[in-house]
PDB file of all heavy atoms in Angstrom:
ATOM      1  N   ARG I 188       1.018  14.727   6.548  1.00 97.00           N
ATOM      2  CA  ARG I 188       0.277  15.262   7.689  1.00 97.00           C
ATOM      3  C   ARG I 188       1.121  16.332   8.369  1.00 97.00           C
ATOM      4  O   ARG I 188       2.193  16.064   8.905  1.00 97.00           O
ATOM      5  CB  ARG I 188      -0.088  14.156   8.679  1.00 97.00           C
ATOM      6  CG  ARG I 188      -0.994  14.656   9.800  1.00 97.00           C
ATOM      7  CD  ARG I 188      -1.851  13.577  10.407  1.00 97.00           C
ATOM      8  NE  ARG I 188      -1.062  12.632  11.183  1.00 97.00           N
ATOM      9  CZ  ARG I 188      -1.621  11.688  11.979  1.00 97.00           C
ATOM     10  NH1 ARG I 188      -2.932  11.588  12.050  1.00 97.00           N
ATOM     11  NH2 ARG I 188      -0.853  10.860  12.645  1.00 97.00           N
ATOM     12  N   MET I 214      -8.365  15.853   8.421  1.00 95.00           N
ATOM     13  CA  MET I 214      -8.571  14.442   8.117  1.00 95.00           C
ATOM     14  C   MET I 214      -8.672  13.674   9.426  1.00 95.00           C
ATOM     15  O   MET I 214      -7.885  13.884  10.343  1.00 95.00           O
ATOM     16  CB  MET I 214      -7.414  13.897   7.274  1.00 95.00           C
ATOM     17  CG  MET I 214      -7.543  12.421   6.920  1.00 95.00           C
ATOM     18  SD  MET I 214      -6.195  11.841   5.862  1.00 95.00           S
ATOM     19  CE  MET I 214      -6.582  12.685   4.327  1.00 95.00           C
ATOM     20  N   SER I 215      -9.628  12.796   9.512  1.00 94.00           N
ATOM     21  CA  SER I 215      -9.798  11.993  10.720  1.00 94.00           C
ATOM     22  C   SER I 215      -8.649  10.999  10.859  1.00 94.00           C
ATOM     23  O   SER I 215      -7.998  10.620   9.875  1.00 94.00           O
ATOM     24  CB  SER I 215     -11.128  11.237  10.671  1.00 94.00           C
ATOM     25  OG  SER I 215     -11.098  10.248   9.654  1.00 94.00           O
ATOM     26  N   GLU I 216      -8.414  10.570  12.084  1.00 94.00           N
ATOM     27  CA  GLU I 216      -7.372   9.579  12.343  1.00 94.00           C
ATOM     28  C   GLU I 216      -7.693   8.276  11.624  1.00 94.00           C
ATOM     29  O   GLU I 216      -6.804   7.580  11.134  1.00 94.00           O
ATOM     30  CB  GLU I 216      -7.249   9.331  13.841  1.00 94.00           C
ATOM     31  CG  GLU I 216      -6.184   8.313  14.230  1.00 94.00           C
ATOM     32  CD  GLU I 216      -4.773   8.759  13.867  1.00 94.00           C
ATOM     33  OE1 GLU I 216      -4.534   9.974  13.771  1.00 94.00           O
ATOM     34  OE2 GLU I 216      -3.911   7.876  13.691  1.00 94.00           O
ATOM     35  N   GLU I 217      -8.981   7.980  11.521  1.00 94.00           N
ATOM     36  CA  GLU I 217      -9.417   6.749  10.858  1.00 94.00           C
ATOM     37  C   GLU I 217      -9.044   6.755   9.379  1.00 94.00           C
ATOM     38  O   GLU I 217      -8.512   5.769   8.843  1.00 94.00           O
ATOM     39  CB  GLU I 217     -10.923   6.603  11.027  1.00 94.00           C
ATOM     40  CG  GLU I 217     -11.474   5.257  10.590  1.00 94.00           C
ATOM     41  CD  GLU I 217     -12.958   5.152  10.878  1.00 94.00           C
ATOM     42  OE1 GLU I 217     -13.643   6.196  10.894  1.00 94.00           O
ATOM     43  OE2 GLU I 217     -13.440   4.030  11.073  1.00 94.00           O
ATOM     44  N   TYR I 218      -9.294   7.882   8.708  1.00 94.00           N
ATOM     45  CA  TYR I 218      -8.969   7.939   7.288  1.00 94.00           C
ATOM     46  C   TYR I 218      -7.455   8.009   7.062  1.00 94.00           C
ATOM     47  O   TYR I 218      -6.934   7.477   6.078  1.00 94.00           O
ATOM     48  CB  TYR I 218      -9.659   9.139   6.638  1.00 94.00           C
ATOM     49  CG  TYR I 218      -9.581   9.097   5.125  1.00 94.00           C
ATOM     50  CD1 TYR I 218     -10.253   8.130   4.408  1.00 94.00           C
ATOM     51  CD2 TYR I 218      -8.800  10.023   4.427  1.00 94.00           C
ATOM     52  CE1 TYR I 218     -10.173   8.069   3.028  1.00 94.00           C
ATOM     53  CE2 TYR I 218      -8.722   9.975   3.046  1.00 94.00           C
ATOM     54  CZ  TYR I 218      -9.403   9.002   2.353  1.00 94.00           C
ATOM     55  OH  TYR I 218      -9.315   8.949   0.996  1.00 94.00           O
ATOM     56  N   TRP I 219      -6.734   8.653   7.974  1.00 95.00           N
ATOM     57  CA  TRP I 219      -5.268   8.671   7.874  1.00 95.00           C
ATOM     58  C   TRP I 219      -4.718   7.249   7.960  1.00 95.00           C
ATOM     59  O   TRP I 219      -3.789   6.873   7.247  1.00 95.00           O
ATOM     60  CB  TRP I 219      -4.687   9.560   8.973  1.00 95.00           C
ATOM     61  CG  TRP I 219      -3.187   9.539   9.039  1.00 95.00           C
ATOM     62  CD1 TRP I 219      -2.419   8.987  10.015  1.00 95.00           C
ATOM     63  CD2 TRP I 219      -2.264  10.078   8.078  1.00 95.00           C
ATOM     64  NE1 TRP I 219      -1.081   9.150   9.735  1.00 95.00           N
ATOM     65  CE2 TRP I 219      -0.960   9.823   8.555  1.00 95.00           C
ATOM     66  CE3 TRP I 219      -2.422  10.760   6.868  1.00 95.00           C
ATOM     67  CZ2 TRP I 219       0.180  10.213   7.857  1.00 95.00           C
ATOM     68  CZ3 TRP I 219      -1.278  11.150   6.174  1.00 95.00           C
ATOM     69  CH2 TRP I 219      -0.003  10.875   6.666  1.00 95.00           C
ATOM     70  N   GLN I 220      -5.301   6.432   8.825  1.00 94.00           N
ATOM     71  CA  GLN I 220      -4.891   5.032   8.909  1.00 94.00           C
ATOM     72  C   GLN I 220      -5.188   4.300   7.605  1.00 94.00           C
ATOM     73  O   GLN I 220      -4.419   3.433   7.181  1.00 94.00           O
ATOM     74  CB  GLN I 220      -5.616   4.341  10.070  1.00 94.00           C
ATOM     75  CG  GLN I 220      -5.111   4.731  11.445  1.00 94.00           C
ATOM     76  CD  GLN I 220      -5.855   3.988  12.540  1.00 94.00           C
ATOM     77  OE1 GLN I 220      -6.781   3.214  12.267  1.00 94.00           O
ATOM     78  NE2 GLN I 220      -5.463   4.221  13.778  1.00 94.00           N
ATOM     79  N   GLN I 221      -6.311   4.624   6.989  1.00 94.00           N
ATOM     80  CA  GLN I 221      -6.649   3.987   5.717  1.00 94.00           C
ATOM     81  C   GLN I 221      -5.583   4.267   4.671  1.00 94.00           C
ATOM     82  O   GLN I 221      -5.200   3.386   3.891  1.00 94.00           O
ATOM     83  CB  GLN I 221      -8.004   4.489   5.235  1.00 94.00           C
ATOM     84  CG  GLN I 221      -8.423   3.918   3.882  1.00 94.00           C
ATOM     85  CD  GLN I 221      -9.825   4.330   3.501  1.00 94.00           C
ATOM     86  OE1 GLN I 221     -10.726   4.274   4.337  1.00 94.00           O
ATOM     87  NE2 GLN I 221     -10.021   4.755   2.276  1.00 94.00           N
ATOM     88  N   PRO I 227      -7.900   0.503   7.700  1.00 93.00           N
ATOM     89  CA  PRO I 227      -7.862   1.148   9.016  1.00 93.00           C
ATOM     90  C   PRO I 227      -8.190   0.161  10.130  1.00 93.00           C
ATOM     91  O   PRO I 227      -8.797  -0.881   9.906  1.00 93.00           O
ATOM     92  CB  PRO I 227      -8.934   2.234   8.898  1.00 93.00           C
ATOM     93  CG  PRO I 227      -9.899   1.691   7.899  1.00 93.00           C
ATOM     94  CD  PRO I 227      -9.073   0.906   6.912  1.00 93.00           C
TER      95      PRO I 227
END
Side-chain angles (χ1 to χ4, degrees):
R188 186 154 70 170
M214 179 177 290
S215 68
E216 180 64 25
E217 190 176 28
Y218 191 67
W219 174 250
Q220 286 181 358
Q221 178 174 315

